[in-house]
Amino acid sequence: MPAQNRVYLADKDMHIYGYSLSLTVVEYQTAVLRGDMDAAAEILPTLPKDQLNKVARFLESKDLKELALTLTTDSDHKFDLALQLDDLETALEITRNVPETEAELKWKALGDRALTVWRFDLAQECFEKANDLSALMLLLSATGDRAGLQALAEKAGS
């Protein structure tokens, strides 16, 4: 029933089940699947706010990650998308706003990604914040940073 954004189904025993199904989300996904991005852009502002994460995951599955990054409100999903797109500034901003107890894995992932795009300064900052001494030692050794290695040795000794 379009007016209620619900679909009702009955099984063979005549049990009726109702499922929520947003018509605007279906229209948006249909437009994307047809490749009609102009129509999708027109529908986008009418999408329910509580469905944006679902739509963002759909867009990610269709390899429209940039658009998914702009839509998602889930910080973990946004972080993952930012890393996939090499948008390290967005990933860094998200990681800085995460509580310290949850941030260690994000710092390590961001540091690893920073290394793959030759951002040694960012990688060093990330590994320091993650307290990943082994990765930090490898990075400092590879870059020939004697002072950094000395400071790392002192930190490891304490």
Side-chain angles (χ1 to χ4, degrees), residues 3 13-14 16 25 68-69 71 77 81 86 96 98-99 103 110 117 122 131 148 153:
D13 297 326
M14 297 307 285
I16 297 176
V25 171
L69 180 63
L71 284 185
H77 188 216
L81 287 169
D86 290 333
R96 284 184 174 151
V98 171
L110 182 55
V117 295
L122 179 59
N131 203 27

Side-chain angles (χ1 to χ4, degrees), residues 2-3 5-6 21-29 43 47-48:
N5 283 330
R6 295 192 68 80
L21 185 65
S22 173
L23 184 60
T24 54
V25 171
V26 172
E27 289 172 346
Y28 181 80
Q29 290 176 337
I43 299 168
L47 291 174

Side-chain angles (χ1 to χ4, degrees), residues 74-118:
D74 177 22
S75 64
D76 289 333
H77 188 216
K78 189 173 280 215
F79 177 80
D80 292 340
L81 287 169
L83 284 184
Q84 291 174 37
L85 294 168
D86 290 333
D87 185 354
L88 300 184
E89 297 307 316
T90 300
L92 181 61
E93 180 183 326
I94 292 167
T95 305
R96 284 184 174 151
N97 292 323
V98 171
E100 285 295 318
T101 56
E102 303 171 15
E104 183 177 342
L105 289 175
K106 284 189 179 3
W107 283 118
K108 285 182 181 183
L110 182 55
D112 289 341
R113 194 66 193 162
L115 279 178
T116 64
V117 295
W118 306 97

Side-chain angles (χ1 to χ4, degrees), residues 121-135:
D121 57 328
L122 179 59
Q124 183 173 346
E125 176 188 348
C126 293
F127 293 142
E128 285 172 355
K129 297 223 174 157
N131 203 27
D132 189 347
L133 301 182
S134 59

Side-chain angles (χ1 to χ4, degrees), residues 36-76:
D36 189 355
M37 298 311 287
D38 293 332
E42 288 177 21
I43 299 168
L44 186 60
T46 64
L47 291 174
K49 300 295 181 217
D50 64 334
Q51 297 292 313
L52 291 180
N53 289 332
K54 178 182 175 183
V55 171
R57 294 210 182 270
F58 165 76
L59 291 169
E60 179 184 12
S61 74
K62 297 301 168 199
D63 206 30
L64 297 169
K65 294 176 183 170
E66 295 87 359
L67 186 54
L69 180 63
T70 63
L71 284 185
T72 190
T73 57
D74 177 22
S75 64
D76 289 333

